[in-house]
Amino acid sequence: MGRKAEFSEKPKKGPGRKSRKQKPPTFPKKSFAPSNDMDDKKLSHRQRQRLVKRDQKKEIQKVKKQKLNKQQRKISEGADVIDEAELQNKYITDKPQVLAGIQQHFKFKKQKIVGFTDDNKDWLKPKQLKKLKKLQSSDDQDQEMYEAEKSEEDLLEGLTESEEEENGEDDTCKETLKMEKLDDISDYDDENANSDDDFELSGEEDTDSTNNKSKDDEVDDSLLPIERENKKLKKREAMEAEMATKEMQMSIDRQEVFKFPEEDEDTQKEITLQEIQQRIKDITLVLSDFKRYRQEDRSRQEYLDLLRHDLCIYYSYNDFLMGKLMDMFPLTELMEYLETSEVPRPLTIRTNSLKTRRRDLAAALINRGVNLDPLGKWTKVGLVVYNSQVPLGATPEYLAGHYMIQGASSMLPVMALAPQENERILDMCSAPGGKGSHIAAIMKNTGVLFANDANRERIKAVVANFHRLGVINAIVSCEDGCKFRNLISGFDRILLDAPCTGTGVVAKDPSVKSTKNEVDVQRCYNLQRKLLLTAIDCVDAKSKTGGYIVYSTCSVLPEENEWVIDYALRKRNVKLVPTGLDFGVEGFTKYRQYRFHPSLNLTRRYYPHIHNMDGFYVAKLKKFSNTIPMTKEQQEADEKVLDDAIANATTMVNDNSNSNEELEYKEKRPRKLLGKQAGKPNLSEVELDIKKKKMEQNRNKYIANVFEKPLKVNKNEKEVKPVNQTTIIKKQNNKNELHMVELNGSKSNGTQIEFEAKNIERNNINTKKQKRDLPSLLEGKPIKRQHKLKQKSKPIGLLKNYKSKTHKTKKN
Ligand SMILES: C[S@@+](CC[C@H](N)C(=O)[O-])C[C@H]1O[C@@H](n2cnc3c(N)ncnc32)[C@H](O)[C@@H]1O
């Protein structure tokens, strides 16, 4: 049952409970306005002390001036000059009087100073006194001073006069005003100056310094206030400069005494990131002037090793990759590279010229709250996005295919390829289709674009992007690029944007820093070489408009770039041509001890710290003949070598990733799951150890230093069969030993390295013959004639785990 409604108006009960509780506001009796009566204001202890000091100073000055005045009068009467000490004594004897004067301070303030009186007129014009005093010593000097003081007086008088005119007040008041102003300046000076006054009162310092200081005071007195200020400023500046020099020296001294940590010092005590950072700076300084800062018992290599270790920790790289970067860059540049790689590159988009113009796209995006700019003069389609209020991958313009989100560096290979309309072009590794769609746009949807990728999943992205962007001249395929030669050839141009380790895009994918290792580089290097040779074979050298191959990677490692191109230059009838890109760093022609074809300077490198884009490499090749400069057998042998290398590298990866975990898992899993092994006893620790060692050996037997010519050892070990290039070798219990020795004593300049293969007793390797082949064995050296290829494929190289007793392999 509801309550009965009551419609009669309720009488108001008065203010609510809350308002009843609140009392009417009360205000302090005093007004909130700042009081004009300064005397009412209570001074703090320090303020009072300063006030007392000021008054003391005034009294001292007063006494001084009186005495000087007397002295001057005496001089004029021919009396003896009263010296400063006497004056000081006089002050001390007059001290009670002075203090009494200070006690009268508040009275003095209240009464206000009354202009020039008989008491103060002397010390209001101290310079005149001094002028008279100094008249004795030098007439000329005094004349100058007199003039200066005169002008000061005139200035003051002028000021007073102008104030007079302005205010129309009586003289006394104006003079008081002026005096207060001067007082203020001197008070300020007193507060900031050194404690001369304290000293005078306490009398703790010796008389010499007293005299010096009082002389200083005198000199100061002879200066205009502004000059005094200037002098103090200069003094302060000099002091600051001195302090800065001292500080710098201290930091240099600290660097000088940078102590190389003892072994295991780091493991014993925890080391912070700041300490590591400091140590990186210290070591960099030591290495910048090694002779001066080094510790006698430490070598450069030790410092470099420690630096690498610290850099790895600080920037989260693995030792292998950091070592590679240290080989590539000078130290200062390396630091820049590492720092820049920590920050993502600016977001960039490419206008799809098949659907819109850059200007229109920019306007549309600006309307949506996107802040952007043209990317640079080198591109007509690139835009850089500073910030956006909408997700760029979901704007109506994106969905309509007006642009592609694409890194600035990935526009470069297509620009280098310079596709022409109505050509047949192959994009060998196309997914997700960024560069492919760019090619189609430049071709204006004419001719035929073959977009291929070996990855079935990724190829879907190519199809989707091509649909969105309106590419209609493309045939999309999913094939292993290495086999393309047998499918279709005769292309005008080919873009090989090869799969790589991605060391140039660590800002985008930081996992690269810690995961990529020697095996990954080896695997990429092999695949890249194979893909490039296929690409060259698929191009028609007689194409009327083209015959070009562009090779690109988003890796900065020379192993995946110059090395691959140099290999192709030796194996096919191609030459390097300019990329047509007007910026970028020249590709390496030298790298450590290796030498590449000089034309590699036509290739271009892009770095985050120089170009503010991802690390990238672009090379443009022109095929000048459709013939392959080798016999069919040699070609097949080459291919087999590459195939083996790729297969082995894959096995290696699988071995590496599985072995240990597998073993541990086998040990841990319950007996039920062991199947056939169920009845067998568990492996003892010794057995486990042996098994682990065996696995380790198996893993190592395939590892060869990528670019140091691994060789294949025959199973019966009686003769070593020559194999081409980087055949992965089987290391057979150190029966074959390879020695790397230095020629002309210095390896550090990396000019000549001789690989000497030494077979221990049971092997019949003809070392003399090998030595004859050595110059051509230098990796990266171009081979011009066919017959040399045979010699070049002589077994040579350096096994990874090999350590010679007689010759140490050093890093330069
Ligand atoms: C760097 S990405 C290509 C990026 C692409 N060009 C773009 O701009 O969007 C390398 C591509 O090579 C493909 N790939 C790897 N091995 C391949 C092979 N043997 N044949 C063809 N494509 C391969 C990978 O699936 C990957 O999509």
Side-chain angles (χ1 to χ4, degrees):
M1 301 287 237
R3 270 196 291 165
K4 219 177 185 183
E6 204 178 304
F7 298 106
S8 59
E9 217 171 84
K10 283 183 184 172
K12 276 192 177 173
K13 287 178 185 172
R17 220 162 21 120
K18 246 188 185 175
S19 55
R20 256 181 279 145
K21 269 185 189 173
Q22 281 176 353
K23 285 175 191 168
T26 52
F27 298 102
K29 277 176 193 168
K30 273 188 176 180
S31 158
F32 289 116
S35 166
N36 288 329
D37 190 1
M38 293 305 287
D39 294 333
D40 284 354
K41 193 180 157 192
K42 276 189 182 176
L43 295 173
S44 71
H45 176 68
R46 285 189 131 247
Q47 280 174 318
R48 257 182 279 135
Q49 274 186 333
R50 258 185 265 143
L51 198 64
V52 170
K53 261 191 193 177
R54 256 180 253 157
D55 292 336
Q56 282 169 355
K57 174 94 178 173
K58 276 179 202 166
E59 290 300 326
I60 290 160
Q61 278 182 334
K62 197 174 170 182
V63 173
K64 266 188 190 176
K65 304 308 163 195
Q66 279 172 352
K67 295 301 155 195
L68 280 166
N69 209 15
K70 275 183 192 170
Q71 201 182 348
Q72 188 266 324
R73 254 180 265 143
K74 275 181 192 172
I75 290 161
S76 60
E77 286 163 12
D80 290 333
V81 180
I82 302 164
D83 67 356
E84 280 291 320
E86 200 186 322
L87 191 71
Q88 196 64 40
N89 291 337
K90 188 70 187 159
Y91 162 66
I92 293 161
T93 49
D94 287 347
K95 208 170 170 179
Q97 270 182 323
V98 175
L99 292 171
I102 294 161
Q103 282 162 0
Q104 294 294 319
H105 172 76
F106 288 104
K107 279 185 194 172
F108 176 76
K109 276 257 172 186
K110 275 182 184 172
Q111 282 164 8
K112 287 195 176 179
I113 302 156
V114 190
F116 288 96
T117 62
D118 284 341
D119 284 331
N120 65 15
K121 71 175 179 187
D122 296 322
W123 61 268
L124 276 172
K125 295 180 180 179
K127 279 113 202 169
Q128 203 176 10
L129 281 171
K130 252 184 220 119
K131 180 203 74 184
L132 290 166
K133 189 187 170 188
K134 292 201 176 171
L135 235 159
Q136 289 253 323
S137 56
S138 161
D139 287 340
D140 293 347
Q141 217 179 334
D142 283 359
Q143 185 60 33
E144 276 170 33
M145 280 183 72
Y146 171 76
E147 278 162 14
E149 280 150 19
K150 188 84 181 126
S151 63
E152 189 191 339
E153 276 173 35
D154 291 344
L155 182 75
L156 288 171
E157 276 162 25
L159 272 172
T160 324
E161 275 163 25
S162 65
E163 276 168 19
E164 246 175 35
E165 279 161 24
E166 268 178 42
N167 303 325
E169 285 173 26
D170 63 63
D171 285 358
T172 326
C173 270
K174 281 164 229 153
E175 277 157 10
T176 311
L177 263 172
K178 187 175 79 179
M179 208 168 75
E180 278 178 352
K181 277 180 189 168
L182 286 169
D183 275 355
D184 288 344
I185 293 167
S186 69
D187 284 353
Y188 172 76
D189 288 350
D190 290 346
E191 277 173 35
N192 290 286
N194 50 24
S195 53
D196 283 358
D197 304 341
D198 294 354
F199 146 73
E200 278 180 88
L201 284 169
S202 62
E204 275 171 20
E205 295 205 12
D206 57 84
T207 26
D208 278 357
S209 62
T210 314
N211 290 338
N212 286 340
K213 286 191 176 177
S214 57
K215 272 174 198 165
D216 277 355
D217 279 350
E218 272 178 42
V219 175
D220 280 359
D221 286 343
S222 71
L223 296 172
L224 284 169
I226 195 154
E227 286 175 325
R228 252 180 285 156
E229 279 300 295
N230 189 27
K231 202 177 159 190
K232 275 175 193 165
L233 199 70
K234 276 185 182 162
K235 242 189 214 174
R236 222 175 296 154
E237 274 174 4
M239 259 169 63
E240 276 170 15
E242 200 182 321
M243 271 168 68
T245 322
K246 271 184 193 166
E247 210 172 288
M248 206 170 79
Q249 192 55 45
M250 263 168 65
S251 75
I252 289 172
D253 290 347
R254 203 183 47 201
Q255 302 291 356
E256 273 180 324
V257 294
F258 166 68
K259 211 175 151 290
F260 203 94
E262 291 305 316
E263 258 171 46
D264 299 335
E265 197 177 289
D266 285 358
T267 47
Q268 279 163 18
K269 75 172 178 96
E270 267 184 27
I271 184 159
T272 63
L273 217 56
Q274 275 90 344
E275 282 169 331
I276 295 226
Q277 191 189 23
Q278 185 55 47
R279 204 159 70 179
I280 289 170
K281 282 182 194 162
D282 289 346
I283 302 171
T284 316
L285 187 94
V286 173
L287 290 169
S288 70
D289 193 348
F290 194 61
K291 248 187 186 175
R292 185 173 165 194
Y293 297 122
R294 69 177 291 193
Q295 212 168 297
E296 277 307 310
D297 54 336
R298 298 290 178 174
S299 68
R300 179 178 275 271
Q301 190 56 49
E302 280 175 291
Y303 280 97
L304 282 171
D305 287 344
L306 184 62
L307 180 66
R308 193 177 64 236
H309 167 266
D310 286 354
L311 288 174
C312 282
I313 294 175
Y314 193 74
Y315 291 103
S316 314
Y317 279 77
N318 64 24
D319 199 57
F320 163 77
L321 199 53
M322 188 53 77
K324 289 279 169 206
L325 295 175
M326 284 176 82
D327 283 342
M328 275 175 59
F329 296 111
L331 222 50
T332 42
E333 201 183 342
L334 173 74
M335 301 306 289
E336 277 176 46
Y337 175 83
L338 294 173
E339 273 300 319
T340 326
S341 297
E342 293 298 293
V343 192
R345 304 275 68 76
L347 178 64
T348 52
I349 57 175
R350 177 180 58 80
T351 315
N352 178 20
S353 55
L354 290 175
K355 292 207 169 179
T356 186
R357 289 183 303 176
R358 184 166 69 170
R359 205 185 321 151
D360 299 337
L361 174 67
L365 290 177
I366 287 166
N367 274 344
R368 297 199 185 281
V370 181
N371 186 5
L372 46 73
D373 252 340
L375 183 52
K377 280 181 184 164
W378 54 272
T379 169
K380 285 179 182 159
V381 287
L383 286 165
V384 58
V385 177
Y386 302 116
N387 55 54
S388 170
Q389 289 170 13
V390 286
L392 276 174
T395 62
E397 286 75 20
Y398 178 83
L399 298 173
H402 289 195
Y403 64 90
M404 179 87 184
I405 301 170
Q406 205 173 338
S409 54
S410 75
M411 297 174 200
L412 301 170
V414 180
M415 288 169 69
L417 187 71
Q420 307 291 309
E421 285 172 46
N422 299 309
E423 279 187 339
R424 260 160 56 102
I425 297 180
L426 170 64
D427 181 8
M428 206 174 218
C429 304
S430 186
K435 293 179 194 77
S437 56
H438 192 183
I439 295 171
I442 296 174
M443 290 169 82
K444 295 188 178 152
N445 262 338
T446 62
V448 188
L449 169 68
F450 291 82
N452 175 70
D453 200 281
N455 189 317
R456 201 159 286 279
E457 284 307 305
R458 283 169 68 90
I459 207 76
K460 288 175 190 165
V462 180
V463 177
N465 274 322
F466 281 12
H467 272 304
R468 186 176 60 83
L469 296 162
V471 176
I472 51 165
N473 66 340
I475 294 171
V476 180
S477 63
C478 183
E479 289 293 338
D480 178 357
C482 305
K483 291 174 184 156
F484 226 80
R485 170 191 304 119
N486 309 324
L487 299 172
I488 188 166
S489 61
F491 292 100
D492 295 307
R493 289 165 208 260
I494 294 183
L495 173 66
L496 173 55
D497 185 31
C500 64
T501 51
T503 50
V505 287
V506 289
K508 235 185 254 172
D509 179 8
S511 71
V512 170
K513 298 194 285 189
S514 54
T515 55
K516 297 296 170 188
N517 57 25
E518 201 169 353
V519 177
D520 294 312
V521 179
Q522 170 87 63
R523 195 180 42 193
C524 284
Y525 168 63
N526 291 329
L527 183 58
Q528 286 155 353
R529 285 188 301 167
K530 201 165 181 217
L531 284 168
L532 184 54
L533 289 192
T534 314
I536 294 169
D537 294 345
C538 288
V539 163
D540 179 15
K542 289 182 182 144
S543 160
K544 279 180 189 155
T545 53
Y548 294 103
I549 304 104
V550 167
Y551 174 85
S552 63
T553 68
C554 56
S555 170
V556 291
L557 300 182
E559 288 86 339
E560 298 180 72
N561 298 322
E562 284 86 351
W563 230 287
V564 178
I565 299 293
D566 194 78
Y567 174 81
L569 289 176
R570 282 186 274 124
K571 298 284 175 181
R572 293 293 187 269
N573 282 326
V574 284
K575 62 174 183 184
L576 277 165
V577 290
T579 55
L581 303 165
D582 53 7
F583 67 103
V585 176
E586 284 183 9
F588 292 128
T589 50
K590 302 173 190 171
Y591 171 65
R592 298 174 64 204
Q593 71 268 38
Y594 306 108
R595 299 291 174 270
F596 306 121
H597 195 278
S599 66
L600 269 144
N601 65 354
L602 293 173
T603 64
R604 287 288 175 267
R605 293 183 147 260
Y606 298 90
Y607 295 119
H609 65 292
I610 298 176
H611 306 105
N612 197 17
M613 49 176 75
D614 291 325
F616 226 81
Y617 179 77
V618 182
K620 187 172 184 176
L621 293 158
K622 167 92 176 124
K623 187 173 174 180
F624 56 83
S625 165
N626 279 334
T627 56
I628 296 173
M630 58 174 72
T631 60
K632 188 101 181 130
E633 292 77 52
Q634 282 167 344
Q635 202 185 326
E636 276 166 12
D638 264 5
E639 256 169 51
K640 194 173 179 311
V641 167
L642 285 175
D643 285 341
D644 286 352
I646 291 166
N648 281 332
T650 319
T651 330
M652 255 190 287
V653 177
N654 293 338
D655 279 356
N656 283 346
S657 56
N658 296 336
S659 55
N660 272 341
E661 293 112 63
E662 222 172 76
L663 205 64
E664 275 162 29
Y665 170 70
K666 273 184 189 171
E667 281 311 290
K668 279 176 197 164
R669 66 191 165 156
R671 287 175 71 84
K672 264 188 193 174
L673 297 174
L674 288 172
K676 279 185 183 176
Q677 291 176 18
K680 290 180 188 170
N682 274 352
L683 289 172
S684 70
E685 273 187 22
V686 182
E687 283 171 323
L688 202 68
D689 240 28
I690 293 166
K691 204 161 183 180
K692 268 187 182 173
K693 268 182 194 164
K694 269 189 184 174
M695 278 190 165
E696 196 71 35
Q697 277 174 1
N698 279 344
R699 203 182 309 154
N700 286 343
K701 72 185 175 187
Y702 290 112
I703 296 179
N705 276 352
V706 181
F707 306 102
E708 287 167 345
K709 302 275 170 218
L711 79 167
K712 195 163 192 174
V713 182
N714 202 14
K715 271 190 178 171
N716 61 21
E717 294 168 14
K718 279 183 181 166
E719 114 189 49
V720 178
K721 270 189 185 173
V723 288
N724 254 335
Q725 293 295 311
T726 53
T727 316
I728 303 295
I729 62 155
K730 282 196 172 185
K731 186 181 156 195
Q732 300 199 345
N733 305 327
N734 281 344
K735 280 168 194 166
N736 290 311
E737 287 191 16
L738 297 164
H739 293 242
M740 196 162 133
V741 293
E742 288 175 29
L743 283 187
N744 304 329
S746 70
K747 193 186 167 198
S748 56
N749 60 15
T751 49
Q752 255 190 314
I753 306 289
E754 183 188 15
F755 292 99
E756 183 191 340
K758 188 185 171 189
N759 194 342
I760 296 180
E761 291 179 342
R762 284 188 290 159
N763 287 332
N764 290 329
I765 294 172
N766 186 345
T767 47
K768 273 184 191 172
K769 203 179 167 199
Q770 280 182 11
K771 273 184 183 174
R772 242 194 353 254
D773 299 334
L774 286 171
S776 65
L777 290 167
L778 291 177
E779 186 71 46
K781 195 166 171 157
I783 295 163
K784 281 176 188 153
R785 276 179 300 174
Q786 183 54 39
H787 74 271
K788 277 198 176 176
L789 286 170
K790 281 183 193 166
Q791 289 183 345
K792 196 173 157 38
S793 57
K794 285 283 185 302
I796 201 84
L798 184 72
L799 293 174
K800 195 192 173 198
N801 290 337
Y802 168 74
K803 261 185 192 165
S804 165
K805 282 169 196 167
T806 47
H807 305 289
K808 267 191 176 179
T809 55
K810 276 193 275 172
K811 243 184 167 186
N812 66 343

